[in-house]
Amino acid sequence: MPALTRRPEPLTSPAAATVFTMVLTQGPVSRVEIAKRTGLSSAAVTKAARPFIEAGYLEEMEATEHTGPGAGRPASPLAIRPEREYFIGVKITDDGLIGVLTDLRAQVLETDHRPLADARVESVLADLAALVAGLRARRPEYGERCHHLGLSISGDVDHDTGMVRYSPFLGWRQVPLATYAAQATGLVVTIENDVKALTAAEQWFGEGIGLSHFALVTIGIGIGCGLVIDGRVVVGAHGVAGEIGHIPVGGEAPPCHCGGHGCVEAIAGTGPLLAAVRAATNRPGMTIDEAIQAAHDGDERAREVFARAGHAIGLAMAAMANLFGPARIVVTGDVAGLASYGLLEGQLRQTFAGQAFGAAAGCEVVLRPRTFEHWARGAAAIAIKTLFTLRER
């Protein structure tokens, strides 16, 4: 059963999806400009936009430009009415829920955090239902116009069926999360892998606007990657495309939780990285913050561990760039991952530049810090994107 079955009535054709998406992600924009960018005729743009205007999703602004040089009819830009509909996004971690309520542009209006009592599915669902109800109750209009919930979770997630096939940090296997969450909250639910959800948010509302090819790499507990090729988030036949954290770069060691050996994640993920620093410095009780500080203070043993992690990530990023040729790679992560990045960056960039082939070495690599609320916003963006695009899979 698909995780989402409802769509707005105006979304009836590829042209409608194209027009609405352009206004949502790049507006306000005139019909003339939409036609120029998309290749649609002016009549087709007007036909596609009209139902959205009538349904209250779009509005015509005052005329600010002309359709041609000299005398001409002023063009009225189309703009989103962001308050027309609200969305909730929740990032599920191994120990908590981070929730946001957004408008149609994925602008965060409300936030909430809720620790998990435990990782049992029924317990997480109870906490999720309470969080969602609390967010919707903050304003009457939220309860009236918020009907969609996006969930993001690390691991192997089937967006189409709403199934969490495997989430290593929660220990879940074959959990029909979308169905359970819909029953618990009464909302229409979409779920996605957390990295792919964040990638979708960057595509529509962040660093990826206007780019047909870009990648997002996340550093933290795991090493993840989201890919956008020809304007679409790549999922692959099995839904696990972009898992650069499980590219083997370390030979037969160390072992990875996935069952493989030498994976990037087994070298550069927060847990393995900390374990390696503890072993190198003979400080078994060291925290990740202390490991980072030791490296910053010049402990060469700690610095070598971080450099190895940067080398592993750089190799994986170069392999990805050689295969897919993104115009930009956005690097982000959790708090520990971003704190580590300054120690990883030099070796990461050096390895990437040395291993990337030809013009791929010129790919722009940018660091963009993202909080857990941004990850939850990614979940909301998935709900928005799924609602307002025709089926891509």
Side-chain angles (χ1 to χ4, degrees):
M1 177 185 299
L4 177 69
T5 57
R6 241 176 63 185
R7 296 185 189 277
E9 287 301 319
L11 193 60
T12 57
S13 68
T18 297
V19 169
F20 184 82
T21 300
M22 179 164 288
V23 179
L24 177 63
T25 60
Q26 302 178 42
V29 59
S30 70
R31 290 177 175 84
V32 172
E33 186 62 24
I34 294 172
K36 184 188 302 182
R37 296 183 195 177
T38 63
L40 295 170
S41 68
S42 296
V45 172
T46 296
K47 180 180 178 180
R50 184 180 299 115
F52 286 105
I53 295 171
E54 294 172 351
Y57 289 99
L58 298 181
E59 63 181 346
E60 293 183 284
M61 302 178 67
E62 293 185 9
T64 57
E65 59 184 76
H66 293 267
T67 59
R73 190 170 59 138
S76 299
L78 294 173
I80 290 292
R81 292 186 61 196
E83 75 287 353
R84 172 61 175 82
E85 196 155 351
Y86 299 104
F87 299 80
I88 291 176
V90 178
K91 157 75 169 166
I92 304 175
T93 73
D94 60 340
D95 61 0
L97 304 175
I98 299 93
V100 298
L101 186 144
T102 79
D103 63 17
L104 193 48
R105 282 192 179 276
Q107 296 299 307
V108 176
L109 305 175
E110 306 284 350
T111 65
D112 195 9
H113 292 207
R114 187 174 294 264
L116 294 178
D118 58 65
R120 290 178 300 118
V121 175
E122 57 269 29
S123 178
V124 173
L125 288 167
D127 289 332
L128 175 66
L131 182 146
V132 168
L135 286 171
R136 295 184 74 209
R138 292 188 183 180
R139 288 178 178 266
E141 58 266 34
Y142 296 160
E144 295 167 1
R145 299 200 294 275
C146 178
H147 308 291
H148 299 270
L149 167 65
L151 301 176
S152 70
I153 186 170
S154 65
D156 183 359
V157 174
D158 189 327
H159 169 91
D160 289 340
T161 65
M163 180 75 71
V164 177
R165 292 185 289 224
Y166 173 49
S167 183
F169 306 118
L170 286 165
W172 289 0
R173 290 185 182 274
Q174 301 302 317
V175 176
L177 183 60
T179 297
Y180 288 167
Q183 293 169 349
T185 65
L187 302 182
V188 178
V189 177
T190 56
I191 71 168
E192 186 57 279
N193 166 271
D194 54 354
V195 176
K196 289 184 175 62
L198 190 59
T199 303
E202 293 294 331
Q203 180 190 20
W204 273 31
F205 306 110
E207 291 289 335
I209 292 176
L211 295 179
S212 58
H213 298 77
F214 79 96
L216 176 83
V217 173
T218 60
I219 299 173
I221 295 176
I223 308 298
C225 178
L227 298 169
V228 172
I229 305 297
D230 288 331
R232 294 186 176 185
V233 178
V234 177
V235 296
H238 306 289
V240 293
E243 289 288 346
I244 68 169
H246 298 286
I247 294 177
V249 297
E252 290 301 310
C256 182
H257 65 79
C258 73
H261 291 79
C263 296
V264 177
E265 196 165 292
I267 297 169
T270 301
L273 189 151
L274 176 58
V277 176
R278 285 172 172 172
T281 59
N282 197 29
R283 293 175 59 185
M286 177 183 282
T287 66
I288 186 62
D289 290 338
E290 290 170 340
I292 292 168
Q293 190 59 52
H296 277 303
D297 289 343
D299 188 314
E300 288 302 322
R301 298 164 298 179
R303 294 182 70 85
E304 287 178 8
V305 172
F306 281 97
R308 183 187 181 210
H311 178 67
I313 298 170
L315 287 175
M317 284 174 50
M320 178 267 292
N322 290 342
L323 284 170
F324 298 104
R328 178 181 299 159
I329 300 175
V330 181
V331 180
T332 189
D334 60 26
V335 174
L338 291 174
S340 302
Y341 184 76
L343 298 164
L344 305 173
E345 181 178 13
Q347 185 62 60
L348 184 156
R349 288 183 180 273
Q350 180 180 331
T351 300
F352 176 80
Q355 198 71 26
F357 176 74
C363 172
E364 181 186 18
V365 178
V366 297
L367 173 66
R368 290 294 180 265
R370 295 290 185 258
T371 65
F372 271 124
E373 284 80 10
H374 281 96
W375 288 79
R377 178 176 179 256
I382 280 292
I384 297 169
K385 186 176 180 182
T386 305
L387 184 62
F388 289 103
T389 54
L390 295 175
R391 183 180 176 86
E392 295 180 353
R393 302 169 187 234

